[in-house]
Amino acid sequence: MTATIADPRLSGRSVKRIAFDEKTIAERVAELGAEITAAYPGGELLVLGLLKGSFIFLSDLVRQITRPLQVDFLVAASYGDGMVSSGTVRLLYDPETELEGKHILLVEDIVDSGRTLNRLMSLLEDRRPRSLEICALLHKRIAEELQYGTRFVGFDAPHEFLVGYGLDHAEDFRHLPYIASLQ
Ligand code: IMP
Ligand code: MG
């Protein structure tokens, strides 16, 4: 939307363009919250945020879901400092909450190759949840390897490296209130 972005948060580094601005994100997150509320008329709902990338999305999203729920987190690392998926997924934190018999909604920042989700979904299936669905803020629609459907998706993402609203490049840019492309 803008060619040059003057933002003191960037500390001299440049982002190419804003792909999704704050207002666009807020409106879509509100819609997703309503969709999710309607999709779960009964039963216990556990919203599982995949850290770190989902932390801002998750916190905005749960405040738009108007039914009882619980929140827990998973920590997995799939990328190093690069912009290309390394293909390996390491689980660094496992939720302590009981998953059996609950509706589990796994919240992810962005689906790229789908490798992270394949690994995590099969691990979560083993815990016998009542249902297991994915909510991704962004989806690059190139995940040929993804073996699971993404029931809730915020936006189809451009095939660019995106940062902000939780997404990082080498741990920078997570705090941008908008989503921008880096190259
Ligand atoms: P996948 O396993 O290839 O689907 O990669 C998913 C993970 O890679 C996401 O949870 C992100 O942490 C990271 N990722 C993928 N694409 C991007 C991007 O464009 N910007 C920032 N992180 C990304
Ligand atoms: Mg990341």
Side-chain angles (χ1 to χ4, degrees):
M1 290 170 203
T2 36
T4 19
I5 299 153
D7 186 336
R9 299 178 185 90
L10 301 174
S11 67
R13 298 179 65 185
S14 64
V15 295
K16 199 177 83 181
R17 68 182 181 97
I18 294 180
F20 303 99
D21 64 22
E22 274 187 81
K23 183 167 174 283
T24 306
I25 296 169
E27 285 170 1
R28 185 67 191 120
V29 171
E31 285 172 7
L32 279 174
E35 274 180 53
I36 291 165
T37 304
Y40 296 98
E44 286 183 89
L45 174 63
L46 175 64
V47 181
L48 259 187
L50 184 51
L51 293 179
K52 300 176 207 168
S54 75
F55 83 108
I56 294 179
F57 175 44
L58 179 94
S59 63
D60 283 344
L61 181 67
V62 291
R63 285 176 287 175
Q64 300 294 333
I65 302 175
T66 52
R67 56 113 57 221
L69 59 78
Q70 295 179 344
V71 176
D72 207 335
F73 300 96
L74 276 176
V75 185
S78 64
Y79 277 48
D81 288 350
M83 295 193 209
V84 181
S85 178
S86 66
T88 47
V89 178
R90 285 180 302 139
L91 197 58
L92 310 176
Y93 170 79
D94 199 358
E96 284 159 16
T97 317
E98 177 65 52
L99 305 190
E100 187 167 344
K102 292 181 184 163
H103 293 297
I104 307 297
L105 183 61
L106 182 61
V107 177
E108 164 74 310
D109 54 354
I110 183 164
V111 180
D112 186 0
S113 74
R115 288 194 193 104
T116 309
L117 286 176
N118 280 338
R119 164 78 206 281
L120 295 176
M121 290 291 279
S122 78
L123 191 149
L124 295 172
E125 268 178 345
D126 292 344
R127 315 243 170 122
R128 304 158 54 89
R130 178 164 165 189
S131 70
L132 180 58
E133 301 286 356
I134 297 165
C135 176
L137 173 66
L138 296 154
H139 200 314
K140 288 193 180 169
R141 304 287 179 198
I142 48 176
E144 287 133 28
E145 298 175 36
L146 186 59
Q147 291 145 19
Y148 302 87
T150 28
R151 171 112 181 244
F152 307 98
V153 175
F155 304 101
D156 285 356
H159 295 176
E160 296 169 283
F161 196 83
L162 300 172
V163 295
Y165 198 70
L167 288 89
D168 74 306
H169 173 243
E171 297 302 327
D172 289 327
F173 307 112
R174 290 197 197 275
H175 65 315
L176 304 181
Y178 46 82
I179 297 167
S181 73
L182 208 53
Q183 353 107 304

